[in-house]
C-alpha cells in the first residue's frame, strides 16, 4: 500500500471536519429566499430536482409572497462540466460546484433542492439554506435509518469509535437535517419519518415533479399507438457489490429470440451508479446511458421489467405493465435490504419471472402485457385519487398544480427563515451575471 493510499482515510476525515466548520460559519450569512439552487446524485441532470428546476426556469414562476415581478432565480449546480454545458446549451442557468460563480450562487441561495442529500449541491456552503429533499424514489427497500444490512448500515448505525468518527465527518451529509422531505402518500410519509427520524423536520405529501412529463408522454404514446414493435424497459436497481448484466441476462441469443417472437425491442437502463455493457451489438437490445433521466424514458415504453427498483411505482401510476425479475432475491435480502416496505411475495404474485428462462418465456409469449401492477399497493403509494396532471400541451405550457403547491410550501419556509430580500440592501450585489454561463 502506498503512503498516499494509507493517508487517504485521514484526509477524508479532515475534509469532513473542515466542511462541518465551514457549514456552521456560512449558516450565519444572510440568504435570499428568491434564490434557489438545485442538484442531483452523481452530478447528473436527473430526478425530481431537474423537473422542479425546469418548471421554475421555463415558466418564470414567482413565489406568491414576492409578487409577479420577482420570480425565483433557479440555478443548477454540478461538479460535471459536461452536465453544466448541457444545461446551459438548453438555455438554463448552471454553474460548476467549485467555480467562483457556483460557490457564490450557493452561498446566496435561500433554498437548496436535492435528490439524496446536500452534497448533491455543496455540503459546506449550504449551511443555513432551506434544505428540500425531493427523494429520488419511493422506498420499497430499506433506506436511511431503516438500513440494517450492507456497508451503509455502519453509516447510519455506527458501532465502533471509528464508525462514529466516519459518520460525523466522511458521511457528514447523511446527518444534515432536511427542512422538507417529499412523500407520495400518508403511508409513504410514515416510512419517510421513520427512515429520516429527526433529520426530517417536515414531510410534505405531493406528486413527484419527475412524473409530470412521463405521464404526458405515456398518454400521447397510447393515443398514437401504431403497428411498430413493442418496447420493454429493463431497469434493475442498485445492489451491494454492483449489478452484473451477464448474471441477469446470461444468454443473449435466447433473449433475442424471445424478443423476435413477440416483435419487441428491449431497452436496458442501469442504475446511476452502475456501468453496464453488452457483450456484442444487438438489433433488438439497446443500452440507455446510466445517467439518462428514467422519467423521460418511461413515457416512451410499453412495459417495465425490474426487480426492487421504485421505478415499479412510477410505472404503475402511468398504467404500464410491470414484470418482476428478482433473480438474486436471497442475496439482495442478505446484502442490500433485509426487509421491504410491502410484502414482496404478495407484490410480485402472478407477475414474476424467478429465472432467466421464465423471463424469456414471458417476453416471447407477450404474457407481460397482462401483468398489471396490484391496484391496492399502487393506491397505498400514490393515494386512491386518480392521477391528475395538468401538464404541458402542444399549444402551451400549463402549470402543474402539484409543482405549484410544492413551490408554495417551500416559499413559505424560505420567507419565514430569510425574510424578503430587498435589492440594494444587505445582502449586497452579485459578482455573477444572470446568464447561464459558468
Amino acid at each position: 500500500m502506498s503512503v498516499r493510499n494509507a493517508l487517504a482515510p485521514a484526509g477524508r476525515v479532515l475534509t469532513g471536519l473542515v466542511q462541518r466548520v465551514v457549514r456552521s460559519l456560512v449558516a450565519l450569512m444572510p440568504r435570499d429566499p428568491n434564490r434557489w439552487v438545485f442538484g442531483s446524485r452523481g452530478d447528473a441532470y436527473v430526478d425530481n430536482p431537474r423537473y422542479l428546476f425546469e418548471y421554475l426556469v421555463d415558466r418564470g414562476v414567482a413565489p406568491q409572497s414576492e409578487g409577479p415581478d420577482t420570480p425565483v432565480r433557479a440555478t443548477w449546480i454540478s461538479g460535471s462540466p459536461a452536465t453544466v454545458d448541457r444545461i446551459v446549451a438548453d438555455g438554463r442557468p448552471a454553474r460548476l460546484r467549485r467555480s467562483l460563480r457556483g460557490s457564490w450562487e450557493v452561498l446566496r441561495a435561500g433554498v437548496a433542492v436535492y435528490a439524496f442529500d446536500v452534497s448533491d449541491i455543496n455540503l459546506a456552503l449550504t449551511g443555513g439554506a432551506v434544505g428540500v429533499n425531493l427523494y429520488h424514489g419511493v422506498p420499497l427497500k430499506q433506506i436511511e435509518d431503516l438500513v440494517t444490512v450492507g456497508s451503509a448500515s455502519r453509516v447510519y448505525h455506527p458501532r465502533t469509535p471509528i464508525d462514529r468518527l466516519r459518520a460525523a465527518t466522511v458521511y457528514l451529509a447523511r446527518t444534515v437535517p432536511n427542512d422538507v422531505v417529499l412523500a407520495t402518500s400518508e403511508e409513504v410519509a410514515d416510512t419517510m419519518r421513520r427512515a429520516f427520524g429527526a433529520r426530517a423536520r417536515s414531510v410534505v405529501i405531493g406528486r413527484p415533479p419527475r412524473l409530470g412529463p412521463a405521464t404526458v408522454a405515456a398518454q400521447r404514446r397510447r393515443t398514437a399507438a401504431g403497428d411498430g414493435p413493442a418496447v420493454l424497459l429493463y431497469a434493475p436497481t442498485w445492489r451491494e457489490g454492483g449489478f452484473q448484466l451477464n448474471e441477469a441476462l446470461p444468454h443473449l441469443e435466447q433473449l433475442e429470440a424471445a424478443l423476435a417472437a413477440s416483435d419487441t425491442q428491449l431497452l436496458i437502463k442501469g442504475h446511476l451508479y452502475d456501468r453496464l455493457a453488452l457483450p456484442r451489438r444487438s438489433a433488438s437490445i439497446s443500452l440507455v446511458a446510466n445517467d439518462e433521466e428514467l422519467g423521460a424514458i418511461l413515457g416512451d415504453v410499453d412495459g417495465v421489467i425490474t426487480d426492487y427498483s421504485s421505478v415499479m411505482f412510477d410505472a404503475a401510476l402511468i398504467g404500464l405493465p410491470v414484470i418482476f425479475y428478482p433473480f438474486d432475491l436471497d442475496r439482495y435480502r442478505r446484502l442490500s435490504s433485509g426487509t421491504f416496505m410491502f410484502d414482496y411475495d404478495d407484490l410480485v404474485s402472478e407477475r414474476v419471472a424467478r429465472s432467466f428462462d421464465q423471463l424469456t418465456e414471458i417476453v416471447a409469449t407477450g404474457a407481460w402485457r397482462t401483468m398489471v401492477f396490484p391496484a391496492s399497493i399502487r393506491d397505498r403509494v400514490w393515494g386512491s385519487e386518480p392521477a391528475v396532471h395538468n401538464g404541458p400541451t402542444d399549444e402551451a405550457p400549463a402549470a402543474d398544480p402539484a409543482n405549484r403547491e410544492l413551490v408554495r410550501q417551500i416559499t413559505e419556509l424560505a420567507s419565514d427563515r430569510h425574510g424578503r430580500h430587498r435589492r440594494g440592501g444587505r445582502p449586497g450585489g452579485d459578482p455573477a451575471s444572470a446568464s447561464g454561463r459558468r
Side-chain angles (χ1 to χ4, degrees):
M1 179 184 292
S2 68
V3 174
R4 181 176 180 179
N5 289 339
L7 294 177
R12 289 193 289 270
V13 169
L14 180 60
T15 298
L17 289 171
V18 171
Q19 288 178 319
R20 180 181 285 274
V21 172
V22 172
R23 183 175 176 83
S24 298
L25 291 174
V26 302
L28 303 175
M29 296 178 59
R31 291 181 177 270
D32 181 351
N34 269 14
R35 288 182 186 244
W36 297 18
V37 286
F38 293 74
S40 194
R41 301 170 295 158
D43 286 324
Y45 188 45
V46 295
D47 294 328
N48 289 314
R50 169 184 172 173
Y51 288 103
L52 189 64
F53 169 71
E54 292 182 357
Y55 168 77
L56 289 168
V57 172
D58 296 352
R59 292 162 177 75
V61 175
Q64 294 177 0
S65 62
E66 295 293 333
D69 297 327
T70 54
V72 168
R73 172 171 173 151
T75 304
W76 191 272
I77 303 296
S78 175
S80 165
T83 297
V84 169
D85 289 344
R86 170 189 172 188
I87 297 168
V88 171
D90 287 337
R92 301 184 180 101
R95 303 279 189 238
L96 281 170
R97 178 178 296 115
R98 296 186 179 180
S99 68
L100 176 61
R101 289 175 172 175
S103 297
W104 176 256
E105 286 293 341
V106 177
L107 281 169
R108 296 293 300 108
V111 176
V113 183
Y114 43 90
F116 188 53
D117 60 41
V118 288
S119 63
D120 291 349
I121 299 171
N122 188 313
L123 171 59
L125 301 187
T126 48
V130 172
V132 180
N133 192 335
L134 302 183
Y135 202 74
H136 53 279
V138 176
L140 172 69
K141 51 186 176 285
Q142 293 175 331
I143 64 168
E144 305 292 323
D145 292 350
L146 300 180
V147 173
T148 59
V149 298
S151 57
S153 66
R154 298 180 65 182
V155 175
Y156 295 106
H157 307 287
R159 303 161 192 161
T160 68
I162 294 297
D163 285 348
R164 287 190 282 274
L165 177 63
R166 292 172 69 245
T169 55
V170 178
Y171 298 106
L172 173 63
R174 310 284 179 88
T175 70
V176 172
N178 306 272
D179 294 289
V180 176
V181 176
L182 182 65
T184 58
S185 69
E186 288 289 354
E187 185 167 351
V188 174
D190 287 342
T191 299
M192 288 300 202
R193 292 185 188 100
R194 288 188 290 112
F196 283 91
R199 292 179 294 115
R201 288 172 171 161
S202 67
V203 177
V204 303
I205 297 173
R207 188 59 45 83
R210 69 179 183 274
L211 286 178
T215 303
V216 173
Q219 291 169 347
R220 290 175 178 165
R221 181 173 177 83
R222 284 192 288 267
T223 301
D227 298 327
V231 180
L232 283 172
L233 170 67
Y234 179 33
T237 194
W238 177 90
R239 61 255 288 144
E240 189 87 15
F243 173 79
Q244 302 299 322
L245 186 60
N246 60 354
E247 180 184 7
L249 307 177
H251 307 297
L252 211 60
E253 295 81 3
Q254 183 178 338
L255 179 57
E256 287 172 321
L259 292 166
S262 57
D263 191 21
T264 302
Q265 294 283 313
L266 179 66
L267 303 179
I268 301 175
K269 163 71 170 68
H271 188 275
L272 182 63
Y273 299 145
D274 286 325
R275 297 290 184 271
L276 307 185
L278 288 171
R280 58 172 174 78
R281 293 176 63 89
S282 172
S284 55
I285 304 172
S286 303
L287 285 179
V288 178
N290 70 307
D291 61 351
E292 189 70 23
E293 174 51 52
L294 189 56
I297 303 169
L298 279 180
D300 294 324
V301 302
D302 301 294
V304 171
I305 305 169
T306 190
D307 40 29
Y308 327 104
S309 170
S310 66
V311 68
M312 69 180 71
F313 301 122
D314 295 2
L317 183 67
I318 62 178
L320 294 175
V322 178
I323 309 100
F324 291 93
Y325 182 39
F327 67 92
D328 61 347
L329 178 58
D330 291 341
R331 184 171 65 221
Y332 188 84
R333 279 177 162 150
R334 187 174 68 255
L335 299 178
S336 300
S337 185
T339 60
F340 295 106
M341 179 178 173
F342 303 105
D343 184 283
Y344 193 77
D345 291 331
D346 288 346
L347 178 66
V348 307
S349 177
E350 300 180 3
R351 57 190 71 85
V352 60
R354 297 191 182 275
S355 68
F356 180 69
D357 288 343
Q358 290 179 358
L359 177 65
T360 54
E361 181 180 358
I362 289 170
V363 172
T365 61
W368 59 267
R369 295 179 182 274
T370 62
M371 293 184 171
V372 179
F373 191 88
S376 60
I377 295 180
R378 179 200 63 204
D379 292 347
R380 289 168 65 184
V381 170
W382 299 108
S384 58
E385 294 297 319
V388 176
H389 176 76
N390 184 22
T393 65
D394 291 335
E395 292 76 26
D400 178 347
N403 285 344
R404 191 163 56 238
E405 174 60 17
L406 182 59
V407 169
R408 184 193 67 77
Q409 294 183 67
I410 297 170
T411 297
E412 287 184 356
L413 280 172
S415 296
D416 288 346
R417 179 172 299 180
H418 304 297
R420 289 193 178 188
H421 175 68
R422 306 245 189 257
R423 294 186 183 276
R426 186 78 174 104
D430 179 2
S433 71
S435 71
R437 293 173 298 177
R438 295 186 220 158

